[in-house]
Amino acid sequence: ARRQILAQLTPWLFLAAAVGLLLLLTYWPALNLIYYSVTDWDGFDLEKTFVGWDNYVAVFTRPEIFQVFFVSIYYFLATFVQMAIALYFAAILSFSTRFSNLFRGVLFFPYLINGVAIAFMFQYVFQPGGSLDIVLSWVGVTEPPQWLGDPSIANWSLASTSIWRYTGLNFVLFLGAIQSIPGELFEAADIDGASKWQQFWSIIFPGIRRVVALSLILAISGSLAAFETPFIMTGGANGTATFVIKTVQEAFVFSHVGLASAMAVVLLAIVLLVTWIQRKLFPDEKVDLS
């Protein structure tokens, strides 16, 4: 009897450990974050004065905070470029292509590199007299712009770094989705004389529509949460401060932990809203078992 009771309790014990860690490391900090967001806590004092919605009002009314939202647009636009590149190569390499495995590895490799290493590497690419300037000098460009020093192009330079880094992730997602499409569809299309372009629009793209939608959601949340690349390469200078960089500065530089907590909650709410919109636009497909 004792062994039977223990056998019945064992799954619940494992479940309790997982749920306990989830509550301790995820939901409890989230609740604390919401609590801090309605106070003026500076991160040091034991007393926290309740200020209500003041911090949230400041997020949307203080220009130096609200304007950093627009920096995310550069990264969001860059995601369309990386998705287009990834979809192009995924469609090509899904067919029989010489050295396809080599090209797959080359495309996916940048995603495996640590983000800090990528940031330092591209610092040498974009610095004055760096790799990019040397290459441009070969084609006659003797006075290249300040890629990270000019506010008008600094964000474009940083966004191009994310294109190089994350194209491989989208490529793998798209390639896996394309390879899950039944091969009979392509065989029937070949028999009917459909071109590769017609097969793409009639078979491939409709078949991976949900994966494209998932990549778009990841792109939106990623563009809002961009941090390590601009933080390491510019430190947020020259108009490159993202929403997360501004949040960190408010918390640890200016000791406005309450305001920074409100900014983090706003970011979480935006991501949840985008996810909800995606679920409405691309609902789960219901399988008819009748």
Side-chain angles (χ1 to χ4, degrees), residues 24 37 42 92 119 199 214 219 233 237 264:
L24 179 64
S37 69
D42 60 2
I92 291 178
Q199 292 181 27
L214 172 63
M233 295 180 67

Side-chain angles (χ1 to χ4, degrees), residues 57-126:
V57 173
V59 172
F60 294 100
T61 56
R62 287 175 52 179
E64 70 274 13
I65 296 178
F66 186 74
Q67 68 183 3
V68 297
F69 276 111
F70 297 101
V71 177
S72 301
I73 297 177
Y74 294 93
Y75 297 91
F76 180 65
L77 295 177
T79 58
F80 287 97
V81 178
Q82 72 187 31
M83 288 176 64
I85 296 174
L87 188 57
Y88 173 76
F89 282 105
I92 291 178
L93 296 178
S94 63
F95 301 104
S96 297
T97 307
R98 181 178 296 183
F99 305 119
S100 61
N101 290 331
L102 174 63
F103 290 125
R104 293 174 185 180
V106 170
L107 287 169
F108 185 65
F109 178 73
Y111 182 70
L112 300 177
I113 303 177
N114 182 270
V116 176
I118 291 176
F120 279 116
M121 181 175 65
F122 272 88
Q123 266 190 327
Y124 292 105
V125 172
F126 290 121

Side-chain angles (χ1 to χ4, degrees), residues 80-252:
F80 287 97
V81 178
Q82 72 187 31
M83 288 176 64
I85 296 174
L87 188 57
Y88 173 76
F89 282 105
I92 291 178
L93 296 178
S94 63
F95 301 104
S96 297
T97 307
R98 181 178 296 183
F99 305 119
S100 61
N101 290 331
L102 174 63
F103 290 125
R104 293 174 185 180
V106 170
L107 287 169
F108 185 65
F109 178 73
Y111 182 70
L112 300 177
I113 303 177
N114 182 270
V116 176
I118 291 176
F120 279 116
M121 181 175 65
F122 272 88
Q123 266 190 327
Y124 292 105
V125 172
F126 290 121
Q127 71 179 5
S131 303
L132 182 57
D133 289 353
I134 293 174
V135 173
L136 291 177
S137 66
W138 295 345
V139 294
V141 180
T142 58
E143 296 183 2
Q146 297 289 327
W147 302 106
L148 299 178
D150 187 349
S152 63
I153 62 173
N155 283 308
W156 290 114
S157 301
L158 295 173
S160 66
T161 304
S162 67
I163 295 176
W164 185 84
R165 180 183 181 187
Y166 291 107
T167 295
L169 174 62
N170 288 287
F171 166 75
V172 170
L173 292 175
F174 294 155
L175 182 63
I178 293 173
Q179 292 180 338
S180 67
I181 300 175
E184 293 81 2
L185 296 177
F186 296 104
E187 294 175 2
D190 288 331
I191 294 174
D192 292 337
S195 64
K196 297 299 184 183
W197 182 252
Q198 290 173 328
Q199 292 181 27
F200 174 80
W201 283 112
S202 301
I203 300 176
I204 293 178
F205 191 77
I208 66 172
R209 181 175 61 93
R210 297 187 61 81
V211 178
V212 173
L214 172 63
S215 297
L216 183 60
I217 296 303
L218 294 176
I220 296 175
S221 59
S223 63
L224 291 171
F227 173 70
E228 58 186 11
T229 298
F231 183 77
I232 293 173
M233 295 180 67
T234 64
N238 301 321
T240 61
T242 62
F243 192 78
V244 179
I245 290 178
K246 188 64 178 177
T247 301
V248 172
Q249 290 175 344
E250 290 292 338
F252 300 107

Side-chain angles (χ1 to χ4, degrees), residues 24 26-39 41 261:
L24 179 64
T26 302
Y27 291 103
W28 180 249
L31 291 176
N32 277 331
L33 186 71
I34 296 174
Y35 168 64
Y36 296 151
S37 69
V38 294
T39 68
W41 190 40
S261 299

